[in-house]
Amino acid sequence: NTRLIKKNAFNGCTQLTYIYSSENKSKPALPSGLASQSDITIGESAFQGCTSLKNFSMEFLNGGNTISFGKYCFKGCTDLTELVYPDNLFTAGIGAFMDCTKLKKVTLGAGCQSIDDETFCNCIGLEKVTYKGAPTSDVSVQLPDNFTRVGSKAFMGTAISSIQLPSELNTLGAM
């Protein structure tokens, strides 16, 4: 059972600021029918260019089976400042958050094992990437021990100054 937000569904919706569940208007969320116990796919460029989209916690997606983000799904969402990956998002698609220029902090979920090519490329404000339960550290990017891949140009054009690589890392793309 797969739930889908189709390719380009909200592409260029420059006035879109939040997504609310009909059950709880105080917390950004998808309707419970979409975020139920099923696989969730956010299609390629689904929210690309939503320049007013604010802090978008994806915690509401926890509990589904798996989540996949298509290429460039949040590219150019220039008002996003912080992201919290749900535990069942293993990787985001190529360039998923590219050009999110105000993005400062990303917290990876427990299931995240890779960062794809150009995921945070040109996120010029990005200073910190960590994971849930990580010890406090001055390192800009902390990756969990089960992390296996950092794609090419994943952090190109960011404010990242240091990366702690895990021992299990199999692939490190061109930076």
Side-chain angles (χ1 to χ4, degrees):
N1 191 12
T2 299
R3 307 291 179 155
L4 173 68
I5 296 177
K6 289 189 174 188
K7 178 179 178 177
N8 296 313
F10 298 96
N11 188 323
C13 291
T14 59
Q15 300 304 308
L16 180 65
T17 56
Y18 296 100
I19 300 168
Y20 292 103
S21 165
S22 60
E23 293 89 19
N24 184 356
K25 291 187 179 181
S26 66
K27 181 178 177 184
L30 294 177
S32 59
L34 185 62
S36 65
Q37 296 292 325
S38 59
D39 293 339
I40 299 165
T41 299
I42 297 179
E44 182 177 333
S45 302
F47 294 95
Q48 182 174 340
C50 294
T51 55
S52 298
L53 193 60
K54 305 281 183 206
N55 294 4
F56 185 70
S57 173
M58 294 175 269
E59 290 290 320
F60 60 87
L61 295 172
N62 280 324
N65 292 334
T66 60
I67 301 168
S68 62
F69 283 180
K71 296 186 291 186
Y72 310 112
C73 61
F74 291 94
K75 180 183 179 190
C77 293
T78 54
D79 267 3
L80 280 177
T81 58
E82 185 172 351
L83 294 171
V84 178
Y85 273 39
D87 289 339
N88 46 349
L89 176 64
F90 301 106
T91 190
I94 293 171
F97 300 101
M98 177 187 273
D99 299 328
C100 293
T101 54
K102 291 182 184 172
L103 185 61
K104 292 195 177 299
K105 182 180 179 189
V106 175
T107 303
L108 304 173
C112 188
Q113 298 174 354
S114 69
I115 294 175
D116 216 334
D117 298 345
E118 301 177 334
T119 297
F120 301 109
C121 184
N122 298 326
C123 293
I124 59 175
L126 185 60
E127 300 170 343
K128 187 78 172 172
V129 177
T130 189
Y131 60 95
K132 292 178 186 170
T136 303
S137 172
D138 292 333
V139 176
S140 295
V141 177
Q142 291 176 276
L143 302 174
D145 289 337
N146 67 336
F147 220 77
T148 59
R149 180 177 186 275
V150 176
S152 294
K153 302 177 185 175
F155 297 107
M156 185 176 87
T158 67
I160 297 297
S161 60
S162 57
I163 299 176
Q164 176 186 328
L165 298 174
S167 58
E168 298 296 317
L169 191 69
N170 295 327
T171 304
L172 180 62
M175 295 291 155

